[in-house]
Amino acid sequence: MELRTAASPKDVKFYDTKRLREEFLIEKVFRPDEIYLVYSHIDRIITGSAMPVGKVLKLEAGDELRARYFLERREMGVINIGGAGSVTIDGKTYKVAHREGMYIGMGAKDISFESASGDNPAKFYINSAPAHMTYPTVLIKPEGEEEEGVVIIQDKNKVELGCLEESNHRTICKYILPGQVESCQLEMGMTHLEPGSVWNTMPCHTHDRRMEVYLYFEIPEDGFVMHYMGEPTETRHIVIRNEQAVISPSWSIHSGSGSRNYTFIWGMVGENQDFDDMDGVAMQDLM
């Protein structure tokens, strides 16, 4: 597990490109037959992946957590952006297809990941946060019929925003949030930009009550997203390629523009779960 420390905005304004990338970019999120995790001191979020190809991958706590098992004091969200796979939790197996997700509550002990086919492996993207109580473990599907242990994303949580004229026509699909999938602090979802649109989270904002991590994907090999961060009057940028993630402190804006449309997963942790709790930044105030 890789460790990243917190950063002050007073220091970040002096970072060069190399230092910005070292501190905030997770360059290779998915690694074949490996569970790869980054532990950030910013709200203690853990971000990473499990990409089983030729074997089953078992989640271990590691020395960094000083815990008997990974979710002894934590909760976890998972979204699969690869081929079909399965997650086994304390002996119960959940089949998790492309773009389906899971919320796994605190106290789950034995967690493993497997792909249905090594030729098209699952890519389980992971966000984990400290937890204070146990909420039910559920499989999350964008569509279908609800059944025991399965939650279907509600229509009100599939929000179409923006327009082509402003290059930000997008659909936000909220997976983990109060009223649909309960958690202690973790929220997760996915935003897809329509063809011809390239801007996300613009007009931009900050939110001191929580931090955020973005995973950008569905970007062609020769494409990129220019991710903007920093204080509104001290903005910086990081060039993001396909299936790379970026850590966004609570004091930082977090928006992007791409060479074409793309999709990203957002994960938020902190003390406030109100999705609309944002400190907006006027376009004319950006510098």
Side-chain angles (χ1 to χ4, degrees):
M1 191 183 302
E2 181 184 343
L3 179 66
R4 303 278 183 100
T5 54
S8 165
K10 294 180 180 179
D11 296 327
V12 171
K13 69 169 72 176
F14 298 108
Y15 288 1
D16 61 12
T17 298
K18 181 174 182 292
R19 182 70 186 278
L20 279 173
R21 294 174 69 86
E22 287 175 350
E23 296 291 340
F24 301 107
L25 178 67
I26 304 175
E27 195 162 4
K28 190 175 181 181
V29 175
F30 296 97
R31 305 179 182 211
D33 276 333
E34 185 178 340
I35 294 178
Y36 173 68
L37 301 170
V38 175
Y39 184 118
S40 173
H41 281 183
I42 304 174
D43 282 313
R44 302 285 169 175
I45 192 171
I46 294 177
T47 300
S49 71
M51 184 181 173
V53 179
K55 61 183 180 180
V56 177
L57 300 178
K58 183 176 180 180
L59 183 64
E60 305 283 358
D63 292 339
E64 294 83 359
L65 296 185
R66 299 293 194 270
R68 292 174 297 168
Y69 49 93
F70 192 88
L71 294 186
E72 183 178 11
R73 301 183 297 268
R74 286 183 159 268
E75 60 186 356
M76 187 165 74
V78 178
I79 297 178
N80 180 15
I81 67 166
S86 60
V87 181
T88 299
I89 304 165
D90 293 335
K92 182 175 181 179
T93 298
Y94 299 81
K95 293 183 178 180
V96 186
H98 180 67
R99 295 207 178 194
E100 293 182 350
M102 290 202 71
Y103 172 79
I104 306 174
M106 183 183 73
K109 292 182 179 180
D110 297 317
I111 302 172
S112 60
F113 303 88
E114 187 174 6
S115 293
S117 170
D119 294 330
N120 184 24
K123 293 181 177 180
F124 296 106
Y125 177 64
I126 295 168
N127 281 178
S128 173
H132 60 271
M133 65 175 291
T134 299
Y135 284 101
T137 292
V138 292
L139 176 64
I140 307 165
K141 296 186 177 186
E143 298 177 333
E145 295 183 4
E146 290 206 20
E147 54 186 281
E148 185 178 357
V150 178
V151 171
I152 306 302
I153 297 175
Q154 302 167 13
D155 288 342
K156 67 178 181 179
N157 290 326
K158 300 175 184 176
V159 184
E160 188 173 352
L161 296 173
C163 60
L164 186 59
E165 289 77 10
E166 295 181 355
S167 302
N168 66 355
H169 184 199
R170 63 202 188 278
T171 300
I172 301 174
C173 195
K174 304 172 186 176
Y175 283 62
I176 301 172
L177 80 166
Q180 178 170 269
V181 175
E182 300 297 331
S183 68
C184 295
Q185 61 169 312
L186 176 65
E187 294 183 289
M188 286 184 77
M190 182 184 299
T191 299
H192 172 71
L193 277 72
E194 299 299 327
S197 289
V198 298
W199 279 102
N200 78 71
T201 324
M202 186 60 73
C204 60
H205 60 266
T206 61
H207 29 63
D208 278 343
R209 277 67 58 193
R210 58 180 184 259
M211 62 83 69
E212 200 156 1
V213 177
Y214 280 5
L215 171 76
Y216 289 98
F217 65 106
E218 295 184 341
I219 303 171
E221 186 176 351
D222 61 348
F224 64 90
V225 171
M226 201 74 76
H227 178 83
Y228 302 101
M229 63 163 294
E231 294 179 294
T233 56
E234 284 283 350
T235 57
R236 302 291 185 268
H237 73 269
I238 298 177
V239 176
I240 307 285
R241 304 293 177 179
N242 189 43
E243 296 182 357
Q244 294 183 340
V246 62
I247 299 168
S248 177
S250 58
W251 48 262
S252 176
I253 65 167
H254 37 283
S255 60
S257 60
S259 57
R260 54 157 293 165
N261 67 315
Y262 51 90
T263 305
F264 66 98
I265 294 173
W266 42 268
M268 298 185 285
V269 303
E271 71 171 278
N272 195 339
Q273 289 186 294
D274 178 3
F275 183 84
D276 294 321
D277 177 22
M278 306 172 188
D279 300 318
V281 179
M283 299 283 271
Q284 60 269 31
D285 291 338
L286 286 171
M287 298 178 65

